[in-house]
Amino acid sequence: MDHASAGSAPIAFEDFLKVDIRVGRIVTAEPFPQARKPAFKLTIDFGPEIGLKRSSAQITVNHTPEELVGSQVLAVVNFPPRQIGPFMSEVLTLGVPDANGDVMLIRPDREVPIGGRLY
């Protein structure tokens, strides 16, 4: 995956507003052995407006399925679905690299209502 560098071109604020980032609660997390890189299949509840969505996430180094279930995460909910092997990923779960380059999920540090939009 290409990552934007510090020298990325500026975008208009209106472009940022097009990206719909919401908080959801992980209801299931299971291994995804068919993925090219180690990943989990997540089912995330974004509340009544958006509902349940699925995501493939390469977060196996810093997270376990057991600790993920019940936790809140941030995800882009308005990208088109993407086929990843036999799995259809409907949202992009967001993370940042740790010191080793492995993904750490972005999560609220306190409980917030699911479905809330990032602003």
Side-chain angles (χ1 to χ4, degrees):
M1 173 190 283
D2 266 344
H3 299 285
S5 67
S8 294
I11 63 169
F13 185 70
E14 292 75 25
D15 292 330
F16 169 74
L17 292 176
K18 294 176 186 175
V19 181
D20 191 356
I21 300 172
R22 304 286 181 120
V23 65
R25 182 175 316 285
I26 298 174
V27 294
T28 65
E30 56 191 72
F32 185 11
Q34 301 92 342
R36 281 186 286 134
K37 294 182 181 179
F40 294 135
K41 294 187 283 188
L42 307 176
T43 303
I44 306 169
D45 182 2
F46 291 97
E49 182 183 344
I50 297 169
L52 293 175
K53 298 290 180 181
R54 295 171 43 127
S55 180
S56 171
Q58 296 173 359
I59 56 174
T60 59
V61 173
N62 288 311
H63 303 283
T64 66
E66 296 77 22
E67 64 101 354
L68 289 170
V69 172
S71 68
Q72 292 187 320
V73 293
L74 292 171
V76 177
V77 299
N78 65 334
F79 284 154
R82 183 173 178 177
Q83 188 75 42
I84 301 174
F87 184 77
M88 185 63 73
S89 188
E90 301 171 295
V91 298
L92 176 64
T93 306
L94 299 175
V96 294
D98 67 9
N100 297 317
D102 298 309
V103 180
M104 292 287 303
L105 288 174
I106 297 175
R107 304 193 243 191
D109 60 359
R110 292 192 188 115
E111 190 74 14
V112 297
I114 60 173
R117 186 170 182 169
L118 177 83
Y119 59 81

